[in-house]
Each structure stands twice: as C-alpha cells, then as structure tokens.
Amino acid sequence: MAALSDRHLLGLEGVPQKDIRLILDRAFTFREILDRPVPKVPTLQGQTVLNFFYESSTRTRISFELAEKRLSADSINFSKSSSSASKGETLRDTIRTIEAMKIDTVVIRHSAPGSAKLMTGFVDSNIINAGDGAHEHPTQGLLDIMTLEEHLKSLKGLKVAILGDIKHSRVARSNIHGLKTMGAEVMICGPSTLLPYEAEALGVHVSTDLNEALEFADVLNILRIQLERQTGGLFPSLREYRKFFGITMKRLNQNKKKYTIMHPGPLNRGVEIDADVADSEHSVILNQVLNGVAVRMAVLVLLTETHNKRKKKIDG
Ligand code: CP
C-alpha cells in the first residue's frame, strides 16, 4: 500500500503531487462512505486522537472530531480556556502531559506560525496542522482542491483567484501551494495593504484590481476579512472594502462567466461576499464543509498507515 512522504502534515508547501493525489483518492473513497446510512468504518479502532485547539474554531474542530468518530478512533478534545494553560502551563508541558496518557495523533490549532512543526520536537505522535497563525492550514487547502476536482473534474490549467486578505491568511498559503502543485494557475487579489510582501515569490499572478481577477478566473475563493487581526488600519472601512472588493451578484454577472464560488468560512455576509452569492447555485461552500470531513478522514488514516509502515521497517 502506498504511503505518504511524511508522518506529519504541517503544510502543503513542498508536499509532492503524488502525496496530494493519494490523499484526494482516499478522500473520495471516504466521501462515498459518508453518504451511507451508517457512515462509520472501523479503520482507526484502537487509535487515540487529541484535538488540541489553542484558538477558536467551528468547522475544523467539529470536522476533525466527526472524521475521527467516523473512523472509530477515540477522540479527546482540549481547549485552552478550560485547561491548565490558563494557569500558565507551557505548551510543551501540556502536550507532554497529555501524551503520557498514550495518544497516537495530535491535531493542533494555534495562533503562532510554526507551532505544529515545533510540536514534532516535543512528542512522538503524528502531528496535523489545523491552522498555525498566518502560516498554513493544509487540510483546508486539501478540501478546497477536492471540492474543485469534484465539481470541475481537473485542476490542470484551472484559473483560481484568491481574493481579499491574503497577508493574514493561512488558507491562501495552503491553497497556493496545493493548487500550483496540482497544475492550477493562481491569482491573488486584494488591497495592496492586504497582500503579502513576498507576493511575487509565491509564483502567482498578483493584482489589486478586482475586475482583473474577474477577467482571469474560473474560480473565486473569497477570503474572510479577519476582523480580529485588523489592528493596523489596513483599509479605511468595511464599507469601502465592500465597495472595491466585495463579491456581489452584479459583479458576478458583468462578465457572463459561470464562476465557482468558494469561501473557507466563517463568512462576513455583506462585506467580502453578499448573502445571495454565498447561497447561490454558483456556491460550493457547503460542499467544501462536507468534503472537509472526508479529507480529514483520509489524512488521519494515511498518516497512521505511514507511521506504522515506518515502525515495521525499523522493528525489522
Ligand atoms: N475554515 C476554518 O478554518 O474555519 P474554523 O476557524 O471555523 O475552523
């Protein structure tokens, strides 16, 4: 059975195409299982997964927990606010304490970029990055790619515009790396203050003009304006942002193109996306959510298989 190149999933940067293909193929298999009357398999029976969330989340946390339950794994949920972290216990001490109770995989969300990688030096478990600051959110990138493949069949030559707050977006980074590896062409577009300094180095088209992005794209991946990270007055007002970058039906109809509309959530309706666009026939937002469970099932299983295969080799 084919294995992944690594037993951790820390980001999509540098992940080879064959690994992404393996994850997607397995995710499509699990997607079929999710449609069954009893959507549960015994694949990870006996495995324990820790959902280690140091930052709030609705979609990713519930999606991982559901994926674990669908695979018959035992899940433990950690949230910072109700733990001894609020008494000053360090990240290292916290995770080593929990690992001493025997866990196999840690799913970590943290506001610090690099926290998932740091974790690989503390513990023996497989580590899955569920979002580390503005760095990466690999399972979001994978579920977005899966949703595009499901709807548009092939990613080769597909033109995807990622719109909005690219600078603070881990979703944008994982999408850029994954989409490029799978043969898509990517444009990032937003106000210059919300584009990363290294924009050109990412190997994408860059624009500050929404009309240019609408001309270019088959797919619009609309990012959330991260209200909690906007401390520096990076644009004058939400009203002004909507005026120049908000996706409205009027804007979508101006080119007579059939765009596929994506958004990682949570949505600011009436800011970066209008309600009628989010709920329209062009939108695959809820498909993204469902595919997220299948992708996370695939990642959990493949990392476990990869780990077991390596252990078997070492044990002889
Ligand atoms: N897309 C995403 O990561 O959403 P949550 O913050 O709700 O997990």
Side-chain angles (χ1 to χ4, degrees):
M1 195 176 281
L4 296 172
S5 310
D6 195 356
R7 70 179 179 94
H8 308 297
L9 180 66
L10 306 177
L12 293 188
E13 185 175 10
V15 173
Q17 193 182 77
K18 70 168 182 52
D19 281 19
I20 295 182
R21 187 69 268 150
L22 195 60
I23 295 169
L24 294 175
D25 288 346
R26 194 68 71 92
F28 279 113
T29 308
F30 284 131
R31 178 68 184 75
E32 280 172 29
I33 289 168
L34 293 178
D35 287 332
R36 289 183 190 166
V38 182
K40 201 169 170 107
V41 285
T43 318
L44 288 189
Q45 213 162 42
Q47 291 280 312
T48 304
V49 182
L50 168 66
N51 299 311
F52 195 60
F53 278 68
Y54 255 67
E55 202 189 51
S56 22
S57 163
T58 298
R59 274 147 287 270
T60 313
R61 187 175 54 77
I62 291 175
S63 180
F64 265 110
E65 198 178 335
L66 199 55
E68 292 148 19
K69 288 188 187 338
R70 299 300 190 223
L71 292 165
S72 308
D74 294 319
S75 297
I76 321 168
N77 295 312
F78 169 95
S79 83
K80 188 185 172 196
S81 56
S82 57
S83 75
S84 291
S86 58
K87 299 176 198 160
E89 189 165 49
T90 64
L91 183 70
R92 184 175 185 273
D93 282 341
T94 306
I95 190 63
R96 283 169 63 84
T97 299
I98 302 173
E99 195 181 46
M101 299 180 216
K102 304 285 180 205
I103 52 171
D104 302 288
T105 300
V106 178
V107 177
I108 176 173
R109 167 165 293 192
H110 199 287
S111 58
S115 46
K117 187 168 192 316
L118 191 73
M119 193 69 75
T120 61
F122 296 162
V123 293
D124 291 328
S125 307
N126 302 329
I127 306 293
I128 301 175
N129 180 6
D132 59 337
H135 176 227
E136 281 226 37
H137 191 351
T139 55
Q140 178 72 46
L142 290 165
L143 73 89
D144 289 343
I145 290 169
M146 178 183 179
T147 305
L148 286 176
E149 213 172 80
E150 180 183 52
H151 282 262
L152 303 169
K153 306 302 169 211
S154 173
L155 289 158
K156 198 140 185 61
L158 192 69
K159 291 185 170 165
V160 181
I162 306 176
L163 307 178
D165 183 359
I166 316 292
K167 192 179 200 162
H168 299 97
S169 177
R170 51 196 175 210
V171 174
R173 265 173 198 76
S174 289
N175 263 272
I176 289 168
H177 295 305
L179 285 166
K180 283 182 59 202
T181 301
M182 299 311 282
E185 217 180 308
V186 181
M187 176 181 277
I188 56 174
C189 174
S192 56
T193 48
L194 294 183
L195 295 177
Y197 299 117
E198 81 286 18
E200 309 286 351
L202 289 167
V204 294
H205 305 275
V206 183
S207 177
T208 53
D209 179 356
L210 180 58
N211 288 323
E212 203 179 337
L214 291 170
E215 274 291 325
F216 164 85
D218 309 305
V219 177
L220 304 178
N221 195 345
I222 303 159
L223 300 179
R224 179 174 73 92
I225 287 296
Q226 300 193 32
L227 304 172
E228 73 278 23
R229 296 195 219 267
Q230 307 295 332
T231 49
L234 296 171
F235 53 89
S237 67
L238 292 179
R239 206 175 139 159
E240 173 125 338
Y241 182 85
R242 180 179 188 277
K243 184 171 166 207
F244 290 102
F245 292 97
I247 299 298
T248 63
M249 264 305 170
K250 193 171 162 202
R251 282 216 167 97
L252 284 189
N253 289 333
Q254 79 190 27
N255 287 346
K256 309 261 179 273
K257 281 168 86 174
K258 281 202 165 104
Y259 298 102
T260 300
I261 301 293
M262 308 181 83
H263 193 302
L267 280 70
N268 297 308
R269 289 172 183 256
V271 182
E272 72 269 1
I273 186 168
D274 269 11
D276 54 353
V277 174
D279 302 330
S280 72
E281 56 178 352
H282 305 284
S283 166
V284 293
I285 295 171
L286 293 179
N287 305 72
Q288 291 173 260
V289 175
L290 178 58
N291 288 337
V293 179
V295 154
R296 286 163 181 136
M297 289 170 81
V299 168
L300 286 160
V301 169
L302 283 164
L303 292 182
T304 304
E305 285 177 5
T306 303
H307 185 45
N308 290 344
K309 208 168 167 179
R310 285 184 178 192
K311 229 166 54 187
K312 214 164 146 189
K313 212 167 165 182
I314 291 166
D315 295 346

